[in-house]
């Protein structure tokens, strides 16, 4: 094109050159404006993130991560509205947990070779095992399911199997729902916050929970603990200030070891205490390095803590541990306040070094 310009008369060359220069100038102005806008957007985003703490919550499945998130909502986000509580029944989370737990117990009876004390309950057992949906179109528990629940829980054989649930991996909340069955199966039942804390709903994907304490905004990222969900963890590590690694202490007799990171929650201390004291499943039978007494809960807890601490190869970055019971609101309130104080102190120390 420039070759063609050179053969034009000089006045035309000057005119065309001015036009080309004007086009280039306009494009440069547009590019500069666009660049300024991007820089301003980045500055505004960075300024808005100054008082934001991002916390990633990790841990194996059934360690209590989602229960902890629910407690944070109760403590710092005004809890659950009545509509939200009702949704835990309608979905149906609570009633579905009750049905699933009863199925587990009935199958566990076969493993443990425990028979029904009342042979007439066989028909109820079959109806529960074949039941895929426990609620009718009116969002109330089907009458035959409610009758079967009551008859089976009154059976001494079912109760004997449920008390040995740790032998067939019965979920932690099963006994709670069984013991509160009469209230749960009643017409117009509305779940309580305690029911919601106990309910088990598998976490799929990544769930973000945000709350504010004074001028600081906390963002908690709860990711699924199942192996199929773990490939999604990596994307959450960007700009994370702290990682909470949740461990169920009561799972010491189960396989699937995990390594702690930064902040360690040793959860389910209530179940851990009961198992150490009353189940006969002593820690030394599963962890040979433990040399303490069989019924010494503190020694057992400290030994598990030391095992996780030994995994930390950096002496300059200690693992902070806390003993927790995620279903205990008061306990979680105190522990999480300690975590926030710790984060504040670390952030202040880092600011003084800058």
């Amino acid at each position: 094109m420039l070759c063609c310009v050179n053969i034009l008369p000089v006045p035309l060359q000057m005119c065309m050159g001015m036009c080309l220069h004007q086009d280039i100038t306009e494009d440069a102005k547009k590019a500069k404006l666009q660049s300024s806008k991007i820089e301003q957007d980045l500055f505004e985003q960075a300024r808005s993130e100054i008082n934001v703490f991002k916390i990633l919550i990790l841990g194996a499945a059934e360690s209590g991560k989602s229960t902890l998130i629910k407690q944070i909502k109760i403590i710092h986000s005004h809890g659950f509205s009545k509509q939200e509580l009702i949704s835990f029944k309608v979905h149906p989370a609570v009633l579905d947990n009750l049905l699933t737990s009863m199925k587990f117990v009935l199958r566990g009876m076969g493993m443990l070779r425990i028979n029904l004390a009342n042979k007439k309950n066989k028909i109820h057992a079959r109806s529960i095992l074949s039941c895929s949906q426990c609620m009718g179109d009116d969002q109330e528990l089907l009458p035959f399911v409610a009758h079967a629940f009551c008859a089976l829980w009154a059976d001494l054989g079912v109760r004997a199997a449920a008390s040995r649930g740790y032998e067939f991996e019965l979920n932690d909340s099963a006994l709670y729902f069984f013991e509160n069955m009469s209230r749960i199966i009643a017409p117009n039942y509305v779940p309580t916050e305690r029911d919601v804390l106990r309910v088990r709903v598998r976490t799929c994907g990544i769930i973000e929970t945000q709350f504010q304490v004074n001028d600081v905004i906390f963002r908690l990222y709860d990711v699924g603990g199942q192996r199929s969900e773990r490939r999604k963890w990596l994307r959450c590590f960007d700009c994370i200030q702290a990682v909470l690694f949740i461990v169920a202490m009561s799972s010491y007799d189960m396989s699937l070891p995990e390594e702690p990171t930064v902040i360690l929650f040793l959860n389910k201390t209530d179940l851990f205490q009961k198992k150490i004291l009353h189940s006969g499943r002593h820690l030394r039978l599963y962890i040979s390095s433990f040399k303490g007494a069989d019924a010494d809960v503190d020694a057992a807890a400290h030994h598990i803590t030391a095992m996780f601490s030994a995994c930390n190869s950096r002496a300059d970055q200690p693992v902070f541990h806390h003993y927790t019971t995620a279903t205990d609101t008061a306990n979680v309130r105190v522990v999480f306040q300690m975590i926030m104080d710790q984060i504040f102190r670390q952030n202040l120390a880092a600011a003084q070094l800058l």
Side-chain angles (χ1 to χ4, degrees), residues 100-119:
T100 302
S101 297
M102 187 58 78
K103 286 182 176 181
F104 256 84
V105 172
L106 293 172
R107 292 176 181 133
M109 292 176 73
M111 281 180 49
L112 301 175
R113 300 183 181 279
I114 297 176
N115 296 321
L116 289 165
N118 185 348
K119 293 183 179 180

Side-chain angles (χ1 to χ4, degrees), residues 192-217:
T192 65
E193 284 189 339
R194 189 162 180 77
D195 295 341
V196 170
L197 288 173
R198 292 285 186 170
V199 77
R200 286 293 305 128
V201 179
R202 176 176 173 174
T203 301
C204 295
I206 302 166
I207 297 175
E208 178 182 340
T209 301
Q210 179 171 299
F211 64 94
Q212 187 167 341
V213 178
N214 299 326
D215 296 327
V216 179
I217 296 173

Side-chain angles (χ1 to χ4, degrees), residues 223-237:
V223 297
Q226 291 79 10
R227 289 186 182 276
S228 60
E229 297 292 327
R230 294 183 185 181
R231 63 180 179 275
K232 301 174 185 176
W233 289 4
L234 187 60
R235 74 183 75 169
C236 299
F237 278 92

